[in-house]
Amino acid sequence: MSNTYKSAGVDKEEGYKTVDKIKSAVAETHNENVLNNLGSFGAFYQIAGYKNPVLVSGTDGVGTKLKVALDSKKYDSIGVDCFAMCANDILCHGAKPLFFLDYLACGKLDSEIAAEIVMGMVKACKDNECSLIGGETAEMPGMYKPGDYDVAGFCVGIVEKENIIDGSKIKSGHKIIALPSSGFHSNGFSLVRKIFTDFNEEFEGKPLYETLLVPTRLYYQPVHKLLEEVKVDGIAHITGGGIIENIPRIIPNGLSAQIDTSAIRIPSVMLELEKRGNIERTEMYGTFNMGVGMVIVIDANHAEKVLNLLDDAYEIGEITEGEEKIVLN
């Protein structure tokens, strides 16, 4: 019997099935700027309507949250997570997402699972005016075990050069506004899985995995509406490293973000993790978003307007002079 690619563990037919299951839905994310369809060696996207455009790009994955999804056999939310982690990052600079590409790796491809993951990306792209223009599915037996998957994404957005947000205009007296997260988002799951070992246990009346797999919140729609009304000087996406590591990324030298931790609305599942795992509160703030998915830094004169425009936003601190870029009070 002769050797074939399939006998080595790679089933090309399953890859073709995956494409067949997703191609019509992916096409629905395209607009007049997308110049070709799936199947080309590269994806074409033309830029129009900008005077001095700057492309802003980001890449990310979903980490070991994927393990919770695979163990729970619930795959639809992971694609949303992958898109959100990338799109929320570029949003910090005021960028509108233009197009997204995905990378899906596995040990043995199951077209049903792969299609379900990609369909989550499709939904997120459609909801955020972004085109899913390409991707790669890699079946790699020997590198991954059968049933294992890894997912990453790449998002490219655009902003007028004069509208780039980079934190450089933040000044003492600015207010720090929090936008709530939808849960753990896609960070800290190695610790989450160490403490929560049974994803099927009941938590607040439903299986724990349902709470853990709530998708990462997408902030593009509310924040871009805000940017049309108010001048924002800093935006931080609270991802790995939590508030402690991410807010300092946008704070100029000589200034300090004073955070009132008593104002932060911590989700009950995070409090349960902290209690069950005997985790120090500082460790929690340095690992998880603690209920704050995104932070906006704004001139104090605009703070009330921001709170009115963003229904669920609330103030958690202010900028002062100081050498420590962040202080938790």
Side-chain angles (χ1 to χ4, degrees):
M1 179 179 176
S2 63
N3 285 311
T4 64
Y5 207 11
K6 188 171 183 178
S7 72
V10 178
D11 187 349
K12 292 187 291 183
E13 293 299 323
E14 199 68 15
Y16 304 148
K17 287 180 189 175
T18 303
V19 173
D20 286 341
K21 287 171 182 173
I22 66 172
K23 64 182 179 183
S24 61
V26 168
E28 291 176 9
T29 71
H30 294 180
N31 56 34
E32 65 278 7
N33 296 317
V34 180
L35 304 184
N36 61 344
N37 297 313
L38 294 183
S40 300
F41 288 101
F44 305 157
Y45 193 99
Q46 68 178 358
I47 295 171
Y50 287 80
K51 297 176 185 175
N52 198 4
V54 174
L55 296 180
V56 184
S57 58
T59 182
D60 211 338
V62 298
T64 62
K65 183 176 186 177
L66 192 56
K67 181 68 173 168
V68 180
L70 295 173
D71 288 357
S72 305
K73 294 181 170 29
K74 187 176 185 299
Y75 315 105
D76 56 333
S77 63
I78 288 299
V80 179
D81 281 308
C82 188
F83 175 79
M85 293 300 288
C86 301
N88 286 343
D89 273 355
I90 67 169
L91 177 60
C92 292
H93 300 292
K96 164 188 168 54
L98 292 178
F99 57 85
F100 183 77
L101 299 98
D102 70 275
Y103 175 79
L104 177 64
C106 61
K108 182 169 179 54
L109 183 63
D110 182 319
S111 61
E112 292 289 341
I113 294 174
E116 198 169 344
I117 292 171
V118 174
M119 290 302 288
M121 297 174 189
V122 167
K123 180 183 184 308
C125 284
K126 289 172 73 174
D127 290 347
N128 290 271
E129 303 169 5
C130 183
S131 299
L132 177 55
I133 61 173
E136 166 71 0
T137 301
E139 190 173 16
M140 297 190 285
M143 288 289 292
Y144 295 91
K145 293 183 296 185
D148 279 353
Y149 286 79
D150 197 9
V151 182
F154 313 85
C155 190
V156 174
I158 193 166
V159 62
E160 288 283 7
K161 189 173 183 179
E162 65 183 26
N163 296 331
I164 291 173
I165 299 169
D166 60 8
S168 62
K169 295 177 182 176
I170 293 174
K171 293 181 173 60
S172 180
H174 276 34
K175 297 297 183 182
I176 302 170
I177 307 296
L179 284 131
S181 68
S182 55
F184 285 105
H185 284 182
S186 301
N187 299 106
F189 271 85
S190 294
L191 181 53
V192 169
R193 293 185 303 106
K194 181 178 181 181
I195 306 304
F196 291 145
T197 55
D198 180 5
F199 304 142
N200 289 302
E201 70 168 274
E202 185 175 306
F203 179 75
E204 296 183 341
K206 58 187 177 183
L208 176 62
Y209 71 80
E210 291 188 17
T211 298
L212 298 180
L213 290 177
V214 171
T216 301
R217 181 178 173 184
L218 282 150
Y219 296 97
Y220 166 70
Q221 295 288 2
V223 170
H224 266 269
K225 286 178 184 174
L226 176 67
L227 294 177
E228 292 173 2
E229 301 282 337
V230 180
K231 183 177 179 296
V232 172
D233 291 318
I235 304 177
H237 184 201
I238 309 305
T239 56
I243 286 172
I244 290 176
E245 291 186 19
N246 286 288
I247 292 181
R249 294 168 69 175
I250 63 168
I251 306 298
N253 291 334
L255 296 178
S256 176
Q258 300 287 324
I259 305 297
D260 177 7
T261 55
S262 68
I264 293 176
R265 302 164 189 172
I266 305 172
S268 57
V269 68
M270 294 185 188
L271 294 173
E272 177 65 21
L273 181 84
E274 177 184 48
K275 178 182 174 184
R276 198 181 295 190
N278 191 29
I279 304 169
E280 295 287 340
R281 181 58 63 91
T282 303
E283 178 70 16
M284 293 290 291
Y285 272 112
T287 304
F288 306 109
N289 64 55
M290 297 301 276
V292 177
M294 187 159 275
V295 157
I296 291 173
V297 182
I298 198 91
D299 187 294
N301 294 324
H302 301 316
E304 187 175 348
K305 186 173 184 179
V306 170
L307 294 174
N308 289 333
L309 288 168
L310 301 172
D311 323 338
D312 56 356
Y314 61 99
E315 188 176 324
I316 60 168
E318 67 176 354
I319 303 296
T320 65
E321 293 183 1
E323 293 307 312
E324 286 187 77
K325 286 197 172 183
I326 186 166
V327 177
L328 302 186
N329 297 309

